[in-house]
Amino acid sequence: MGWALQACARVMRPIVRLALALGLKHAHLEVMLRELLIDEARRAWLDKGVEPNLSQLSVTTGLNRKAVTAKVREAEEPLPHTEMSAAAKTLTLWLQMSTDDPALLALPLVAEAGAPSFEAVARHASRGNVHHRTILDELVRLNMATEQAGRVVLNAAGFVPSKDLQGMLAFLGDNARDHLLASVGNTLGTAPPLLERAVFATGITVEDCERIHQLARQRWSTLHHELTSEMTRAFEAAEAADGSASGRIRVGIYTYYEDASDVAQHRAVTPAKRSDGKEA
């Protein structure tokens, strides 16, 4: 249990840092954790073929029956699901096309039938469900595209909505969730192992860390294009069949580095307690 708590603490520390930076308090996190405990406990019972009652949920989570009963409805999700973003789909398709043909980095907003245009890319990426003007306005707002004199120019190497806090939080949640789901599944051994690897080094210069970071970025650009092509082909094949395919996949990469000496200097020290209960 100690090992498990330490692993959870390592995972949750960056989340706590984010929560504090955005003004969340203990009460907010407590409600969230309680609801997640109940949701996951119910899922664990359902995996066994059992619809759990209040007592089973209470025993599994350690929450009293009153707390379990209080969760009477599904929590609303104000964050968008990144898989459903028409702007992200359009930008990804546009990036894929421009990698194959750099001339497509700039497109006419509309064009004759069959000719490349932003309208055609947006219509194909969104399956015609979102108007191309709406998608373009969103990409321009995020500084990922510019529009001038009837032409649209690509202005990003990937869909990273850095000027949109809600969008960035949505990607943080989705990317970190799927990375951790792969790790947790591999640790618990509940399914065949998924790819989840990292390479690391300690005791090198920060300058070398940045150089290696840029190397990873360059290699990812090539892999990103290959993966996007494969996913696009797979999606179009499934859609051409009966459209009932339900598989979901996310492939990611990350790099993190820091100056360990700075981290050591700022590491918090828990105040010692005197015998009278006051802080030393």
Side-chain angles (χ1 to χ4, degrees), residues 21-133:
L22 297 180
L24 295 179
K25 309 298 182 186
H26 173 267
H28 301 119
L29 297 177
E30 183 180 33
V31 170
M32 177 198 68
L33 181 58
R34 183 167 64 242
E35 293 193 344
L36 287 176
L37 282 168
I38 295 170
D39 282 343
E40 285 298 304
R42 182 169 182 271
R43 183 197 60 77
W45 279 101
L46 290 174
D47 285 347
K48 299 176 181 178
V50 176
E51 175 65 58
N53 56 38
L54 292 179
S55 295
Q56 289 168 318
L57 292 175
S58 177
V59 169
T60 302
T61 62
L63 295 168
N64 59 45
R65 289 170 58 93
K66 182 179 179 181
V68 175
T69 305
K71 188 180 183 333
V72 296
R73 62 182 177 84
E74 291 296 322
E76 295 181 3
E77 291 194 46
L79 285 180
H81 292 277
T82 55
E83 296 93 337
M84 304 303 292
S85 168
K89 291 177 180 178
T90 299
L91 189 81
T92 300
L93 178 58
W94 192 3
L95 281 168
Q96 181 186 355
M97 293 169 58
S98 63
T99 299
D100 294 331
D101 183 358
L104 299 179
L105 285 168
L107 292 169
L109 179 57
V110 295
E112 297 296 329
S117 69
F118 179 82
E119 179 189 25
V121 174
R123 184 173 61 251
H124 181 72
S126 69
R127 297 299 184 263
N129 293 323
V130 183
H131 194 274
H132 70 276
R133 183 76 250 180

Side-chain angles (χ1 to χ4, degrees), residues 103-176:
L104 299 179
L105 285 168
L107 292 169
L109 179 57
V110 295
E112 297 296 329
S117 69
F118 179 82
E119 179 189 25
V121 174
R123 184 173 61 251
H124 181 72
S126 69
R127 297 299 184 263
N129 293 323
V130 183
H131 194 274
H132 70 276
R133 183 76 250 180
T134 301
I135 296 174
L136 178 57
D137 288 345
E138 178 68 0
L139 292 178
V140 170
R141 182 182 74 84
L142 296 173
N143 198 31
M144 293 180 180
T146 56
E147 179 187 8
Q148 188 174 12
R151 292 185 68 78
V152 184
V153 180
L154 184 62
N155 193 36
F159 193 84
V160 182
S162 57
K163 295 184 178 297
D164 179 2
L165 178 60
Q166 185 187 46
M168 288 296 287
L169 288 172
F171 273 100
L172 184 156
D174 285 350
N175 290 340

Side-chain angles (χ1 to χ4, degrees), residues 1-11:
M1 187 171 290
W3 298 343
L5 283 172
Q6 283 299 309
C8 288
R10 290 186 187 183
V11 168

